[in-house]
Amino acid sequence: RLQNLSGMDIESNRILLQTVFSDVQDDFCNVKKILSRFEEWRKSYSDSYHSAYISLCLPKLLNPIIRHQLLAWNPLKDASGDFENLPWFTAVETFCHGHGHEELEHTDRRTLSNVIEKTVLPKITAFVELVWDPMSHQQSVCLSDVCHRLKEDYSIFEGEQSKPVKAFIEAVVRRLRSCVDEDVFIPLYPKKFLEDRSSPQSCFREQQLWTAIKLLGNMGKWDLLLPETVLMELMLDKLLNRYLMTTLFTCFQMAKHYRFFRLFRGYLYKFMHFSSHICFPVCCRSAVVEVMQVLSRVRCNDSIMAIAEKYHYEDVIYSHQLLNQETV
C-alpha cells in the first residue's frame, strides 16, 4: 500500500485530502489557519502561551494533517518534489521564524525541527523499511541527500537522538546489513572458467562483483549520518575484506571510481592489505602514475616507493608531490 501511495501525483493527493476532511471546517484542517490562532495567542498572552508549552504540543496536533499532505512525497524519487514546497511547511516556517528575514521576538525556534522530526522522519523510515533498495544508486542518492539536508538545515541528527531518529538509523543499518549478508554473492570458479572472459561463469562473476562495488559506493553516502563504527564494519570488514578482496584485479578500479577513503581517516592501517593488491604489473607511464596517485590517497608511501623504484619513475613522486598529498 505504501508503494501505491508513493506513486500518487499531487492532484490525487489534493482530492484525497478534500475527501478526508470534507466534513471538517477549514479552520480545523488548514495548518496556516490553525497556527494563526496560536500566533494570536502568543502575541496577546505571551506568558500564558509559553507556560502552556504549546511548542511541545504542535507536532502532535499537526501530525495528521501534515501526514496527508506528505502522501504524494516520495523520498526515493527526485520527481516527487520537495516537502519544503508543501503548504504545511510554509505555514510552520512562518509561524516559527516570522514573515520576513527577521525572526519574531518570541519565536518557537525548535518547533519546525520538531515537526519535521515527528512527521517527515517517520515517513522516511517507513520507506527505508518497506521500499528502499540499497542496491539502487538513484534511490540511495535521493534518500541520503534528503537526510543530509535534514541534518544540515534542521539539525535533526545533532545532539541527543530522539526516538524517531534512533528508529530511522536502526532501520537504515538493518537494511544495509541485510543487503550485505543476503544479497551480495560473488562466486568462486576454477581458473579455467575465468580465463575465458566471454564464458557464462566469468560474466556472472563480473556482474556480481560490480554490483557489490556499487553497493559499496551507495553505503559511502551515509557518511556523517550513521555511526562511523557501523560503516567501518559494513564497508571494510564485511563488504570489502570478505567479498571484494577475493577479486584482486578490480582493486584499482574500486579506488579509482569510489572516493570513499575520506571516511576512514585514522583507520588507514586497514588498507595495508588493500594496497598490496593495487601493485600489479603495469606497462605504461600513465598507468603507473594513476596507480601511484591512488596509493598516495591512502598514504601507502612504501608501495609508492616500491613501484617508483621498480619502474624507474622516481621523478613522478616529486612532480606530483605524491608523498605529501592529502587523503581525499
Side-chain angles (χ1 to χ4, degrees):
R1 186 173 64 178
L2 179 61
Q3 289 175 304
N4 293 333
L5 287 176
S6 67
M8 296 171 57
D9 56 22
I10 300 298
E11 181 64 20
S12 299
N13 185 35
R14 185 184 65 82
I15 296 175
L16 178 60
L17 276 172
Q18 290 179 344
T19 303
V20 171
F21 295 108
S22 59
D23 59 345
V24 180
Q25 294 183 11
D26 200 38
D27 287 345
F28 300 98
C29 64
N30 184 297
V31 174
K32 183 177 181 180
K33 291 188 176 182
I34 293 174
L35 291 178
S36 67
R37 300 297 183 93
F38 287 99
E39 186 174 2
E40 183 180 349
W41 182 5
R42 184 172 60 186
K43 287 182 179 179
S44 302
Y45 307 98
S46 177
D47 293 340
S48 171
Y49 172 86
H50 290 290
S51 63
Y53 297 99
I54 298 302
S55 60
L56 300 179
C57 304
L58 287 178
K60 183 176 292 187
L61 175 67
L62 302 176
N63 184 278
I65 305 173
I66 295 176
R67 286 175 59 191
H68 277 90
Q69 290 192 24
L70 287 172
L71 282 176
W73 179 64
N74 185 344
L76 305 180
K77 293 183 179 180
D78 287 327
S80 65
D82 197 332
F83 73 88
E84 293 169 329
N85 295 328
L86 296 175
W88 72 265
F89 181 87
T90 303
V92 176
E93 184 180 40
T94 301
F95 176 80
C96 295
H97 301 292
H99 296 273
H101 296 289
E102 296 182 0
E103 293 188 348
L104 296 174
E105 182 179 356
H106 299 291
T107 184
D108 298 334
R109 291 179 175 84
R110 286 290 304 171
T111 300
L112 179 59
S113 295
N114 290 337
V115 168
I116 293 175
E117 188 176 276
K118 291 178 172 59
T119 56
V120 176
L121 197 58
K123 180 181 177 70
I124 299 176
T125 302
F127 270 87
V128 168
E129 294 175 336
L130 303 175
V131 184
W132 176 46
D133 178 12
M135 291 285 192
S136 170
H137 179 71
Q138 179 182 359
Q139 290 186 6
S140 297
V141 168
C142 293
L143 183 62
S144 60
D145 284 350
V146 170
C147 294
H148 279 292
R149 279 172 41 216
L150 294 183
K151 175 183 174 67
E152 295 168 3
D153 296 343
Y154 309 106
S155 304
I156 297 299
F157 298 94
E158 302 291 345
E160 185 177 356
Q161 294 181 347
S162 63
K163 288 184 178 180
V165 173
K166 289 181 179 179
F168 170 76
I169 292 178
E170 291 172 358
V172 172
V173 172
R174 280 197 304 269
R175 291 292 294 118
L176 291 176
R177 194 182 303 278
S178 173
C179 194
V180 172
D181 293 339
E182 301 176 10
D183 298 338
V184 176
F185 171 65
I186 302 178
L188 297 176
Y189 292 116
K191 185 178 180 180
K192 63 179 181 179
F193 293 113
L194 300 180
E195 288 177 346
D196 181 5
R197 300 298 298 274
S198 62
S199 67
Q201 294 86 350
S202 179
C203 293
F204 177 71
R205 187 169 186 263
E206 186 169 350
Q207 178 185 359
Q208 293 299 106
L209 171 70
W210 285 105
T211 298
I213 294 176
K214 183 172 74 169
L215 175 61
L216 185 70
N218 292 344
M219 293 170 68
K221 299 184 183 304
W222 293 98
D223 182 20
L224 303 179
L225 293 172
L226 300 183
E228 187 176 278
T229 53
V230 174
L231 284 180
M232 287 286 297
E233 175 199 353
L234 294 176
M235 295 181 68
L236 281 183
D237 296 337
K238 288 195 171 185
L239 192 55
L240 185 62
N241 288 333
R242 181 190 299 179
Y243 295 106
L244 298 180
M245 283 303 179
T246 61
T247 310
L248 305 183
F249 70 89
T250 62
C251 290
F252 173 66
Q253 285 89 336
M254 288 163 46
K256 178 180 177 182
H257 290 290
Y258 292 100
R259 299 165 61 87
F260 56 85
F261 297 109
R262 181 179 61 82
L263 174 63
F264 306 114
R265 285 180 179 174
Y267 301 91
L268 292 176
Y269 65 92
K270 287 181 175 285
F271 283 100
M272 292 302 103
H273 181 52
F274 177 80
S275 65
S276 65
H277 295 302
I278 299 180
C279 303
F280 54 86
V282 289
C283 57
C284 64
R285 182 181 179 89
S286 61
V288 174
V289 172
E290 201 166 9
V291 170
M292 294 171 69
Q293 287 175 333
V294 170
L295 290 171
S296 178
R297 291 172 187 155
V298 293
R299 296 180 180 176
C300 296
N301 294 339
D302 292 340
S303 298
I304 293 175
M305 296 300 297
I307 292 179
E309 182 177 351
K310 180 176 181 179
Y311 297 100
H312 307 291
Y313 288 150
E314 289 84 356
D315 61 301
V316 174
I317 296 178
Y318 304 103
S319 62
H320 291 79
Q321 298 182 338
L322 297 180
L323 299 183
N324 299 320
Q325 189 177 106
E326 291 290 332
T327 56
V328 293

